[in-house]
Amino acid sequence: MAEEKAVKAECIEKCREAAKQIKEIGLDAVLKKLSDKDGEFVWKDSYVFCFNDTKILAHPVSLIVGMSTSTIRDSNGLLYMKEMIDLATAKGDGWVNYMYVNRKSSDPNPQPKTSYVLHVPEEQVFLGAGIFE
């Protein structure tokens, strides 16, 4: 049976829930939750991740945590993390399209992905969640 696919509305809902929890229980507690690959912010074929203007702060794939947001490019050369930061800083939230390898598929080639990004200005962080199109 194929794994269920997340939808855009769920990405928005999960990012907003993470932002709400940051306000209620603090950033550090939520970063731990976001890094838990079996936690509430990993669902279907998606997950919420957190970053600031310099690095990835939380991701369910631990080797990604700490990577610089200024140098991450997709297979077309797009600095998509910078795009997310610029969009969410300017508008508060929105969607960014890029190419990304779907680790849950058997295809090693990058596939089109779109991620919702939400700015949490009180903590100077951004939350993201995406779907493969």
Side-chain angles (χ1 to χ4, degrees), residues 3 27 32 39 69 89 111 123 127 129:
E3 184 173 22
L27 179 62
K32 286 182 182 136
T69 54
T89 299
Q111 301 171 19
E123 294 290 342
L127 297 164

Side-chain angles (χ1 to χ4, degrees), residues 13 18 39 43 53 60 65 73 75 79 89 97 102 109 115 120 122:
E13 178 185 321
W43 79 103
D53 61 355
V65 175
R73 295 178 185 272
S75 57
L79 291 163
T89 299
N97 300 315
N102 184 347
N109 298 308
S115 285
V120 183
E122 303 84 7

Side-chain angles (χ1 to χ4, degrees), residues 10 114 129:
E10 292 170 319
T114 188

